[in-house]
Amino acid sequence: MKKNEVIELAQWFSVSSLSRFVWKEENSLLELEKPLEQFSIAQPIRTEEDNKETAYSKEKEHEEKVKENEFILRAPVVGTFYASPAPGENPFVTVGQKVSKGQILCIVEAMKLLNEITSPVDGTIKEICAENEGMVEFDQKMMLIEVD
């Protein structure tokens, strides 16, 4: 990996909504990590027509009643949802399992980049909404966590 490619990836990562990024190439390994508090979810660019449709769908999606002690884990990027670290291996988490803040819950692959999604809270997995190896959209509900 060339120096300018590393700089470009680091710049992209610094403004992305990811908290951890790993890039593996033949003889290269690049790992970038930042605290959860440092990132914010970027909003996609939309036309006025898209905004009307999106506003309606977001409104419907967010109408879902969430209890005060529940946290919805949403997809930070469009990509493929992986419940386990590799095919045939046990999933990172299952419904009913206790999780800790910072624990890996799943992977979302976007543009051949594997993004480890970690828990922002301590709690119990109440629901897994995304299908293993299925596509997730930006801001799609992936899991519901009951906060301790």
Side-chain angles (χ1 to χ4, degrees):
M1 184 176 289
K2 296 178 183 172
K3 182 179 176 181
N4 62 337
E5 292 172 322
V6 172
I7 292 169
E8 187 177 320
L9 280 172
Q11 288 172 336
W12 167 81
F13 177 73
S14 70
V15 296
S16 76
S17 62
L18 304 175
S19 62
R20 187 161 192 266
F21 172 79
V22 178
W23 177 275
K24 293 180 183 178
E25 217 173 61
E26 294 174 14
N27 295 327
S28 302
L29 172 64
L30 174 67
E31 292 185 60
L32 303 171
E33 193 165 349
K34 61 185 170 187
L36 289 174
E37 296 81 32
Q38 283 189 357
F39 74 88
S40 62
I41 302 295
Q43 297 298 317
I45 298 171
R46 301 192 184 275
T47 65
E48 188 174 322
E49 188 174 308
D50 288 338
N51 285 336
K52 289 177 188 173
E53 291 175 20
T54 302
Y56 176 76
S57 64
K58 292 280 186 208
E59 193 174 293
K60 286 291 183 193
E61 185 177 334
H62 289 287
E63 279 180 9
E64 174 185 6
K65 300 294 181 205
V66 179
K67 295 179 184 173
E68 194 174 299
N69 66 332
E70 292 179 337
F71 178 83
I72 295 176
L73 181 71
R74 298 190 178 276
V77 293
V78 174
T80 305
F81 175 89
Y82 293 104
S84 61
E89 290 191 22
N90 291 331
F92 289 107
V93 294
T94 57
V95 173
Q97 180 178 337
K98 290 257 188 213
V99 294
S100 302
K101 185 176 182 176
Q103 179 178 340
I104 298 171
L105 301 178
C106 61
I107 292 173
V108 176
E109 178 184 9
M111 296 173 39
K112 298 189 180 191
L113 302 176
L114 301 177
N115 305 292
E116 293 178 341
I117 309 302
T118 59
S119 179
V121 295
D122 292 329
T124 304
I125 301 294
K126 195 169 183 182
E127 182 180 2
I128 300 175
C129 308
E131 184 180 328
N132 187 41
E133 298 183 11
M135 289 297 296
V136 290
E137 297 293 326
F138 171 77
D139 203 36
Q140 177 181 330
K141 179 179 174 182
M142 295 191 302
M143 294 184 194
L144 181 63
I145 303 170
E146 185 174 349
V147 180
D148 288 344

